[in-house]
Amino acid sequence: MNSAFVESFSCFRKKNIKTFVQTVLFDFLYYLIFFVLLFMFKWYVWPKASFMMEAKILLEGMNNMPMAQLAAMASEINTSMYFFGFLLVSMLILQLINYTFFKGLIWTRIFKIKYDIKSFLRVALFNVIISVFFMGALYFVAWFVIGEVQLVFSLFILLPFFIHLFNTSSVAAVTAKSLGGAFKRFFKTAFARIYLFILPFFLILILLFVLIQIMIFIRFLPGTLYFFLYLIFFIIYMCWMKCYIGVVLRKIK
């Protein structure tokens, strides 16, 4: 597996650079749509939840209100709650589609295979399942892990582990020919062979540390330019990481 790290940089060679640039472009589009949806949520969806922030004030002023006004207010709050819930679920579904489409597309480019609707649905299913487990893990950490070590545990154990799960599940979903085969391949690579990913993740973290130091060094640049460079370097890094994980996965028999 030591050779996998060196081999991962072959993505920058002339014969592979076109594919790598495509993955960078796909990842850039993913983040672009992600932030657009996030800003839409902030500007158009979150204000719909203002009734929750003002609930205490409303309750304090209800004592002297006539019944007709109370009924109208209750109906308005009920409608707002359902509307907010609908918009929130819609936003989550759009983010899921965005993530599934572009991340799955990146993996199919790395493995040079076709991305069809069945692969997309398999990737989406894995993403939903792992996301549920991730939220459960965060809940567990919040309630059962000592406060002083929560951040360290989440950043250096929980987050890398679930990144590992998302990556291996996506690869299993796009490379397998059936849902059963995808689950079998996922459990084999994500759990039975997890020890093979210890060194790669260690090297990935070291390279991330180097990238952060470079970004700190060029912090004197104007804000907009600095943010754009940070995003581009981060995307290139993430795409390289996927190439590295892809090399490791190819070596697993």
Side-chain angles (χ1 to χ4, degrees):
M1 288 298 169
N2 293 334
S3 62
F5 179 71
V6 177
E7 190 177 339
S8 68
F9 291 97
S10 64
C11 63
F12 297 106
R13 291 178 181 172
K14 185 177 180 180
K15 65 176 182 179
N16 298 322
I17 193 64
K18 181 179 178 180
T19 298
F20 184 76
V21 170
Q22 287 177 341
T23 64
V24 171
L25 177 60
F26 294 147
D27 221 17
F28 179 80
L29 290 174
Y30 160 72
Y31 283 108
L32 178 63
I33 295 173
F34 173 84
F35 284 116
V36 167
L37 291 174
L38 202 62
F39 287 132
M40 286 177 63
F41 180 83
K42 178 183 178 181
W43 291 332
Y44 300 109
V45 179
W46 186 247
K48 302 296 181 182
S50 59
F51 65 90
M52 293 189 292
M53 304 173 190
E54 301 170 359
K56 184 178 180 180
I57 299 173
L58 290 172
L59 289 172
E60 289 174 350
M62 280 183 176
N63 293 329
N64 300 320
M65 286 185 182
M67 286 300 298
Q69 191 173 351
L70 284 174
M73 184 175 291
S75 176
E76 183 178 350
I77 291 174
N78 190 52
T79 301
S80 297
M81 288 180 64
Y82 281 115
F83 186 57
F84 175 75
F86 170 76
L87 291 176
L88 179 61
V89 171
S90 299
M91 188 66 63
L92 291 174
I93 292 174
L94 288 174
Q95 290 288 19
L96 172 65
I97 293 172
N98 179 37
Y99 182 88
T100 301
F101 178 74
F102 285 108
K103 300 300 181 178
L105 198 58
I106 289 170
W107 282 115
T108 54
R109 287 294 183 273
I110 291 173
F111 280 85
K112 295 179 172 57
I113 54 179
K114 184 181 178 181
Y115 193 36
D116 55 24
I117 185 63
K118 291 182 179 179
S119 300
F120 173 85
L121 293 175
R122 288 196 294 266
V123 175
L125 177 62
F126 274 111
N127 287 337
V128 170
I129 293 173
I130 296 173
S131 296
V132 170
F133 277 102
F134 181 62
M135 297 304 296
L138 288 178
Y139 178 82
F140 176 85
V141 170
W143 283 95
F144 298 105
V145 177
I146 300 173
E148 290 77 8
V149 298
Q150 281 183 1
L151 183 62
V152 174
F153 181 83
S154 298
L155 286 178
F156 294 100
I157 297 179
L158 196 64
L159 187 59
F161 177 66
F162 275 93
I163 289 175
H164 167 69
L165 294 186
F166 277 112
N167 285 331
T168 51
S169 66
S170 295
V171 173
V174 298
T175 56
K177 294 182 179 180
S178 65
L179 183 60
F183 273 103
K184 182 179 179 181
R185 187 168 297 178
F186 168 64
F187 283 108
K188 178 181 178 181
T189 55
F191 298 102
R193 301 289 191 274
I194 191 171
Y195 59 90
L196 297 175
F197 294 88
I198 296 175
L199 177 59
F201 267 102
F202 178 72
L203 296 173
I204 285 168
L205 286 174
I206 289 177
L207 206 60
L208 177 61
F209 176 78
V210 172
L211 176 61
I212 291 173
Q213 297 308 307
I214 293 173
M215 296 311 301
I216 291 174
F217 181 74
I218 64 172
R219 198 165 47 186
F220 62 87
L221 293 172
T224 303
L225 176 60
Y226 179 79
F227 175 78
F228 182 76
L229 288 175
Y230 204 117
L231 180 61
I232 294 299
F233 286 156
F234 176 76
I235 290 174
I236 292 173
Y237 165 80
M238 293 298 291
C239 289
W240 164 81
M241 183 191 75
K242 287 182 175 62
C243 292
Y244 186 13
I245 298 299
V247 173
V248 176
L249 288 170
R250 285 191 188 97
K251 294 178 180 292
I252 296 177
K253 304 299 181 181

